[in-house]
Amino acid sequence: MSAVRVGVFGLLGSGNLGNDGSLEAVLGYLRTAHPEAAVDALCGGPEVVTARYGIPATRLHWYRGEYRTASRAGTVAGKGVGKLVDVVRTAAWVRRHDVVIVPGMGVLEATLPLRPWGFPYALFLLCASGRLLRTKVALVGVGAAPIGSRPTRALVRRSARLAAYRSYRDALSRDAMRSMGVDTARDEVHPDLAFALPVPPAGEGRRPGPVCVGVMDFHGGDDDRARAGEIHRRYLDGVIRFVRALAGEGRPVRLLTGDACDAPVAAAIIDAVDSPLVTAAEVASLADLMRETAAADAVVATRYHNLVCALRTGTPTLALSYAAKSDALMAGMGLEGYSHPARDIDADRLLQQFRELEKRSAELRQILAERNRVTAARLDDAFTALTAALFPATDHALRETS
């Protein structure tokens, strides 16, 4: 069978563990179901992607300072020129492929601060190039949410309409795109791609184990820019109070991060609590995160993929939720009600919820084990559907031999 040319696209290799975990899941699918595929990436951190995953990679943006704040005329001009150059660069890259996959990630949402001329513009160039050059662009297991900014919403809506294939990581995402005017009648919903990643072998953890607390450089969403500093201070203060209470009870606490920008938050918590019981885990992948959550008695986490890792390993989990996607994830895994607002942390109420979580630990582990079995089966079906949609020749060959 001739090699099919597959590209993967996104803010990959840029320090966000969830994004890279979604890529890892798609690469695992391609290597298993389509070993003949020649895969490369157009991404934020090409050096990291090539070193970690062994595939050729090209930088997403021509201008290297794309995600730095433009405060000087030279920087503004560089970004402007880069936008024009990226039109040609993106089209040339897309042209070399039969299929381009955008693996998971919240590419159709703005639950965190986002400018329309950043990634939304890059995604639009990708999808428009795919339509013009007849390359299938697939948004696979992506997240979406209502968007307040009209320019961002317009770019996201147009990108989704231009894509050849769409699937979502939850029903809320599909509903959000439908509300923006996208025809979602044929769009599928399946669990987050990271649930396809392998979990650490049973028995690695020790009991009693630590409490893992996943922290985040949280400043609110795209519509909260005017009070971002206040939101961050309240979030940090609430987490510090919660961690201090756990340490005061003699509980070891492991701080988890999910992005390079979270490290200073973990350091600030360690300094504020000043206890040998509070340490920060060194994590470079979702596999590292899952090793930590598998060894924990319980997890309290903010970032979406911190939650996914904890649930994937069957560990009782409480979400510090900053968006509806976290609440939907928890409900889907049988932990509805175990969420606490990240924007307004009440440390006393959070401790009460945490104690209720621990009281039901054995029961919740059984629930999570069953939900993980169902999730695995649903993802198998999703990958089968993806093959039928994007690789019809392979799908036909498989049917002929079955």
Side-chain angles (χ1 to χ4, degrees):
M1 187 177 296
S2 61
V4 61
R5 300 165 300 174
V6 180
V8 289
F9 176 95
L11 292 177
L12 310 165
S14 301
N16 185 286
L17 303 187
N19 291 0
D20 290 355
S22 298
L23 169 62
E24 186 176 345
V26 165
L27 290 178
Y29 152 71
L30 290 172
R31 287 164 179 162
T32 300
H34 306 282
E36 79 288 352
V39 184
D40 72 303
L42 185 63
C43 59
E47 298 86 359
V48 173
V49 167
T50 296
R52 184 173 294 168
Y53 303 110
I55 60 174
T58 303
R59 186 172 297 280
L60 179 60
H61 301 288
W62 174 80
Y63 182 65
R64 290 177 177 265
E66 175 60 36
Y67 293 103
R68 292 198 296 265
T69 301
S71 57
R72 294 184 296 181
T75 305
V76 173
K79 284 194 173 187
V81 172
K83 299 303 175 190
L84 298 176
V85 174
D86 285 343
V87 174
V88 178
R89 290 178 71 253
T90 302
W93 182 80
V94 169
R95 192 184 200 107
R96 299 198 299 267
H97 298 85
D98 301 300
V99 172
V100 173
I101 295 175
V102 180
M105 306 178 286
V107 298
L108 303 178
E109 64 180 56
T111 51
L112 298 175
L114 183 70
R115 298 294 190 188
W117 52 84
F119 188 78
Y121 174 76
L123 183 66
F124 170 73
L125 291 184
L126 173 77
C127 295
S129 297
R131 178 64 65 90
L132 288 170
L133 300 170
R134 298 184 179 180
T135 295
K136 293 178 181 178
V137 173
L139 310 180
V140 180
V142 298
I147 297 173
S149 165
R150 292 180 65 181
T152 302
R153 186 170 64 248
L155 284 169
V156 164
R157 178 173 59 241
R158 190 60 180 159
S159 297
R161 286 175 171 170
L162 289 169
Y165 177 91
R166 296 179 299 268
S167 66
Y168 308 97
R169 63 189 179 192
D170 53 44
L172 289 176
S173 296
R174 184 170 61 183
D175 292 345
M177 295 315 299
R178 184 184 297 123
S179 71
M180 291 186 211
V182 177
D183 182 2
T184 62
R186 297 183 178 181
D187 297 355
E188 297 294 330
V189 173
H190 56 74
D192 188 86
L193 293 172
F195 278 104
L197 296 175
V199 298
E204 284 193 2
R206 293 175 296 175
R207 297 289 179 264
V211 178
C212 282
V213 177
V215 301
M216 179 177 178
D217 185 25
F218 179 61
H219 293 77
D222 201 45
D223 298 329
D224 298 319
R225 292 179 183 273
R227 55 194 190 97
E230 175 194 351
I231 289 172
H232 181 69
R233 286 190 295 273
R234 292 182 64 180
Y235 168 80
L236 185 59
D237 179 67
V239 175
I240 287 171
R241 290 181 60 200
F242 175 69
V243 171
R244 183 179 287 131
L246 291 178
E249 296 173 357
R251 302 292 297 271
V253 177
R254 290 283 278 175
L255 301 181
L256 306 180
T257 57
D259 194 293
C261 66
D262 299 334
V265 178
I269 294 169
I270 289 173
D271 288 345
V273 177
D274 192 21
S275 168
L277 292 172
V278 182
T279 56
E282 294 185 8
V283 292
S285 66
L286 293 194
D288 291 342
L289 278 172
M290 282 194 274
R291 277 189 284 273
E292 294 287 341
T293 61
D297 280 354
V299 176
V300 179
T302 313
R303 281 199 180 272
Y304 183 84
H305 280 98
N306 276 196
L307 295 172
V308 169
C309 288
L311 298 169
R312 179 77 176 98
T313 56
T315 305
T317 303
L318 200 162
L320 291 176
S321 174
Y322 65 86
K325 63 183 179 183
S326 298
D327 298 328
L329 173 65
M330 297 296 287
M333 294 300 288
L335 272 68
E336 186 173 10
Y338 289 104
S339 293
H340 191 94
R343 282 177 174 79
D344 189 21
I345 295 176
D346 180 333
D348 293 334
R349 171 59 182 151
L350 182 59
L351 276 167
Q352 181 182 349
Q353 287 180 286
F354 176 75
R355 291 186 176 115
E356 291 170 358
L357 180 83
E358 289 209 302
K359 285 179 182 177
R360 295 184 60 201
S361 178
E363 175 191 355
L364 295 177
R365 286 180 181 274
Q366 291 179 347
I367 290 172
L368 287 171
E370 176 57 31
R371 295 298 173 101
N372 273 305
R373 283 191 286 270
V374 173
T375 294
R378 289 182 61 200
L379 274 173
D380 285 344
D381 291 342
F383 285 132
T384 300
L386 188 62
T387 290
L390 300 185
F391 308 98
T394 302
D395 183 58
H396 177 73
L398 290 173
R399 291 176 185 273
E400 288 290 313
T401 57
S402 62

